[in-house]
Amino acid sequence: MVKLDDIPFSLDAELLMEQLRVQPGTRSAGAFTDLLDRVVQVARPKAVYEVAYVDDKGDDSVVLNGVRFTSRALRRNLDPVERVFAYVVTCGTEADAVSVPEGDMTQALWLWTIKEALVHGAAEYLYGHLATRYQLSHWAAMHPGSGDADVWPIEQQRRLFSLLGDVEALIGVKLTDSMLMVPTMSESGIVFATETDFATCQVCHREDCPRRQAPFDEAVWRTLCAD
Ligand code: SF4
């Protein structure tokens, strides 16, 4: 298990304000900058990962370091793979503890967006770390609960956590009974080497998702998810 608790980050105030439609030079811009400064002063994004090896492959399941995961898409994605990297990355409890005035939905959205940028940046750092340290030239990731509900059921989040040890003690991320992570701005998944450009959005039917990173791909869905 490897813990990364000193992840460098930079938050682009201009870009975030553009994304949130905050006009520079306005009173709102001042309030946004104040909030951003408060987050930057305390934020400590973190990650933990474990190198896991494929012990067994079933029709619709795969065993990683002794833990069985049931997902046809995961199994098929790992078909040529013997080693993966299980991980959790988070904006950190420090940024998560920053508060905004109760009922201020605008500032709540700003804070949500800032923490989202933090976890995305931390995930990119982790991917870069893995690529360098383990000489991955091309890789992809899958996440429990991401995409169509049956692609990799979110109930398997706890099994993923079990590969990593006490994730809450390590980086402050805990799982609720409904398998959601706290801090909410955390991401879990498995990184694996691949030659293809897989993204979970390719096997997700959800329409009008503002966070879609790739169009739904019928051919990929048939290859990974169909009977
Ligand atoms: S389309 Fe949206 S909901 Fe579906 S996997 Fe992509 S980001 Fe997630």
Side-chain angles (χ1 to χ4, degrees):
M1 181 278 299
V2 179
K3 179 169 78 165
L4 304 174
D5 59 1
D6 195 19
I7 296 179
F9 67 90
S10 67
L11 295 167
D12 188 331
E14 224 171 274
L15 197 68
L16 287 166
M17 284 170 58
E18 195 180 312
Q19 189 181 338
L20 290 162
R21 299 191 178 147
V22 177
Q23 293 296 324
T26 61
R27 187 182 296 183
S28 289
F32 176 82
T33 308
D34 287 346
L35 177 60
L36 184 62
D37 286 346
R38 284 171 52 215
V39 175
V40 167
Q41 277 169 23
V42 298
R44 286 206 51 194
K46 304 174 188 70
V48 61
Y49 73 88
E50 178 70 283
V51 183
Y53 293 89
V54 178
D55 296 328
D56 188 32
K57 291 172 181 169
D59 287 344
D60 290 341
S61 67
V62 60
V63 179
L64 304 173
N65 280 8
V67 179
R68 183 174 294 278
F69 295 90
T70 304
S71 157
R72 184 172 299 162
L74 180 66
R75 163 67 183 86
R76 291 181 180 174
N77 259 333
L78 298 189
D79 202 31
V81 173
E82 295 301 329
R83 182 186 65 174
V84 303
F85 305 89
Y87 74 92
V88 174
V89 62
T90 180
C91 71
T93 52
E94 299 83 356
D96 206 46
V98 173
S99 62
V100 295
E102 204 176 325
D104 189 332
M105 301 310 289
T106 301
Q107 290 220 30
L109 174 64
W110 292 351
L111 183 56
W112 192 90
T113 305
I114 292 167
K115 291 191 293 186
E116 183 181 46
L118 271 175
V119 73
H120 283 174
E124 288 305 316
Y125 180 88
L126 171 67
Y127 297 155
H129 167 92
L130 293 175
T132 304
R133 185 158 174 180
Y134 299 96
Q135 299 177 328
L136 307 177
S137 56
H138 210 98
W139 69 93
M142 285 189 69
H143 320 277
S146 188
D148 288 349
D150 56 354
V151 167
W152 188 5
I154 195 168
E155 289 73 22
Q156 295 184 34
Q157 186 85 279
R158 202 167 294 287
R159 295 186 204 175
L160 179 62
F161 270 54
S162 77
L163 291 176
L164 297 162
D166 189 343
V167 179
E168 185 174 2
L170 287 164
I171 59 168
V173 179
K174 60 185 172 191
L175 271 184
T176 66
D177 290 343
S178 50
M179 299 298 132
L180 298 177
M181 290 179 282
V182 179
T184 312
M185 284 305 161
S186 302
E187 178 185 306
S188 64
I190 282 180
V191 170
F192 52 95
T194 177
E195 295 303 317
T196 62
D197 287 325
F198 173 76
T200 308
C201 300
Q202 291 174 299
V203 292
C204 178
H205 283 85
R206 184 172 161 188
E207 292 178 2
D208 303 325
C209 173
R211 311 206 176 278
R212 182 174 282 284
Q213 293 169 358
F216 176 77
D217 190 316
E218 183 75 30
V220 174
W221 185 86
R222 286 192 183 287
T223 302
L224 294 178
C225 303
D227 290 340

